[in-house]
Amino acid sequence: MDLTGLTLRVAAARPHVLLAAVPGGAAVRLAAERLLRARDWPQASTPAQADLLLVAGPDLPELRTPLERLWRDMPAPRARVHARTADEVEDALNAGRALLGPPAVRPASAAPPADAGGHRKGDHGARERHEGDDHTPGHDGHGDHGGHGGHGGHGGHSGGQTEMPGGLPMAGQGADRDGLTLDQLHLPLGPFLADWPAGLTVRLVLQGDVVQRVDVDEPARPFDDAAAEAFWVQPWLRAASGEPVPVGEAVRRRAAAHLDSLGRLLSVAGWPAEAVRAWRLRDDLLSGAPRAAVAPRLERFTRRVGRSRTLAWLTRGIGVVTAQKAREAGVGGPAARAGGDVTSRYRQWLADIRHDLPRLEDPVPLDVAVEDSPRGPWSAEHPPSAALIALLPRLLEGAELAAARLVVASLDPDPDELVSRGVVEVARG
């Protein structure tokens, strides 16, 4: 029996896709998620589960090293492709499936995938990005891509740290809050985790399971600023430039953004069925579905999630920040209005969606000074997500590791806001 050929045929028939979204690539990620659901291709949450790595978004030189680590952690057979725009997603997935097929049936015309820097290679490059059973996956000490079974799998990828076999950094020592000397573990979360802000890296120092210190890396910027777009705030960017934008378009984009964030939080919290419902509703809103078609489903969804006692119990008392403290930190929007814990913040998203439902088709011109963007009042000089990212250390320090992913998901800062061309132009003056 040709086990190699059988393995390749199985992988090519229904690849498990690891989606690595980079800042500026939200539109590409959304297109990929829609197409994967339409094809019924499973989306992997860790390299160990994946056959096909799809990099979604513009070229970011700073992220080439962690992308290579993802690639090396994937078992054979494997393939890798890159879609820089939403229009490239379908061709990239087709090329990836072709590369996974047995050599006898692999199309000779299949284009070799692009490397992390966006450069196409010849036959040698294609072999580097398609591996058969004669390859032993490289291990550089980095393990989980971000699986969170039981909310405890918080693997990350970073460079330049001394590490132990099995993927954990070497532990040092330090005094804990009780004055005892305990091992310190340096653990990076990001930049590529499932249900995680694209490209964000949060570096934790742990003693036991308690976060003692938090550092957040600056978001990686694309090689070409013109390639990066802040998808969720596009209506506000266009209105600020003088283009007439209907309020209905803006609130539709805002409600879709909240559903995207809710999907991440529900997935991290271990409620995948409702996460998928949130993402399907998100896609319906983005496709322009009329209010009458989506309103009943949105009402059922917000009622079911908002009334869940289990979800409230799981998230209550985690990541508490009062409305006053949030505003003092420059945070606006849902996080400031919620004024509380993770439970308060996801319930605020649900309330905002219900509030926006009647206005999905409002033709009145958008006033950016009146209508908040998804994460707060829009300002290119001070993007709302910058304040949310700056708030993370305050909320994560002293928290248990198992709660860290829930706190980040409940804020869901959007690094795209910091690297989009409109924002970069303002920052450069």
Side-chain angles (χ1 to χ4, degrees):
M1 179 182 293
D2 181 9
L3 292 179
T4 299
L6 176 62
T7 301
L8 292 171
R9 283 191 292 273
V10 170
R14 192 166 175 261
H16 289 63
V17 180
L18 181 59
L19 183 56
V22 303
V28 188
R29 170 180 67 85
L30 294 170
E33 290 175 352
R34 285 194 299 269
L35 189 54
L36 291 175
R37 282 197 299 274
R39 293 186 174 189
D40 194 28
W41 288 11
Q43 189 169 331
S45 60
T46 70
Q49 300 170 346
D51 312 305
L52 176 60
L53 173 62
L54 172 61
V55 182
D59 299 323
L60 275 74
E62 296 174 55
L63 295 181
R64 290 174 185 169
T65 297
L67 281 173
E68 287 299 326
R69 292 193 183 106
L70 285 186
W71 172 245
R72 289 198 298 268
D73 282 346
M74 289 173 56
R78 60 182 185 168
R80 171 177 171 176
V81 291
H82 190 166
R84 292 159 187 78
T85 67
D87 292 338
E88 296 178 12
V89 169
E90 185 168 12
D91 287 344
L93 290 177
N94 290 340
R97 181 166 62 178
L99 287 165
L100 283 171
V105 300
R106 195 179 304 149
S109 61
D115 64 11
H119 305 293
R120 295 242 175 229
K121 297 190 176 184
D123 291 341
H124 175 67
R127 284 195 295 271
E128 285 181 344
R129 281 159 175 76
H130 171 267
E131 306 288 353
D133 67 339
D134 57 339
H135 169 73
T136 300
H139 251 294
D140 61 354
H142 294 275
D144 200 346
H145 170 262
H148 40 73
H151 322 304
H154 300 286
H157 299 271
S158 69
Q161 292 198 88
T162 304
E163 294 175 345
M164 299 170 59
L168 293 177
M170 291 287 287
Q173 287 190 330
D176 76 347
R177 291 172 294 183
D178 299 320
L180 302 175
T181 299
L182 298 176
D183 285 342
Q184 289 185 327
L185 182 66
H186 294 255
L187 179 67
L189 300 182
F192 300 111
L193 296 175
D195 308 310
W196 182 261
L200 180 69
T201 301
V202 177
R203 302 184 183 277
L204 308 180
V205 177
L206 303 172
Q207 287 185 306
D209 62 350
V210 177
V211 178
Q212 297 291 323
R213 192 174 74 246
V214 180
D215 294 302
V216 182
D217 290 359
E218 287 288 329
R221 296 193 179 278
F223 182 76
D224 178 8
D225 292 339
E229 291 188 354
F231 176 82
W232 296 115
V233 295
Q234 275 301 303
W236 286 264
L237 288 172
R238 289 162 44 213
S241 70
E243 180 181 341
V245 177
V247 164
E249 180 182 343
V251 299
R252 181 180 289 268
R253 185 67 60 98
R254 183 169 62 200
H258 292 337
L259 287 165
D260 187 59
S261 298
L262 280 161
R264 292 177 192 264
L265 186 140
L266 291 167
S267 182
V268 171
W271 202 356
E274 287 305 312
V276 170
R277 288 190 181 93
W279 291 326
R280 289 187 183 279
L281 286 164
R282 171 202 69 189
D283 292 345
D284 288 345
L285 286 177
L286 292 174
S287 68
R291 175 182 175 276
V294 296
R297 292 163 53 219
L298 275 170
E299 291 285 0
R300 288 194 297 271
F301 170 81
T302 58
R303 184 168 56 251
R304 186 165 51 244
V305 173
R307 293 179 178 178
S308 170
R309 294 181 180 179
T310 302
L311 183 62
W313 171 81
L314 180 68
T315 56
R316 185 170 293 121
I318 296 175
V320 176
V321 58
T322 66
Q324 180 179 347
K325 291 294 184 182
R327 293 191 176 92
E328 289 174 357
V331 173
R337 290 196 302 274
D341 54 10
V342 171
T343 309
S344 300
R345 289 193 284 276
Y346 77 70
R347 285 178 171 169
Q348 185 65 56
W349 282 333
L350 295 170
D352 288 353
I353 292 170
R354 288 192 294 267
H355 178 263
D356 282 339
L357 261 178
R359 303 193 298 156
L360 294 180
E361 293 154 5
D362 190 340
V364 173
L366 171 65
D367 183 346
V368 296
V370 173
E371 294 288 347
D372 281 0
S373 69
R375 290 162 175 86
W378 176 249
S379 167
E381 293 87 351
H382 304 287
S385 288
L388 291 173
I389 291 172
L391 186 63
L392 285 175
R394 181 185 305 180
L395 296 188
L396 294 178
E397 288 176 0
E400 294 184 356
L401 176 59
R405 289 290 305 270
L406 287 168
V407 171
V408 175
S410 72
L411 293 174
D412 199 28
D414 181 13
D416 290 22
E417 293 181 5
L418 282 64
V419 304
S420 73
R421 53 188 173 186
V423 176
V424 170
E425 288 167 1
V426 170
R428 288 175 175 170

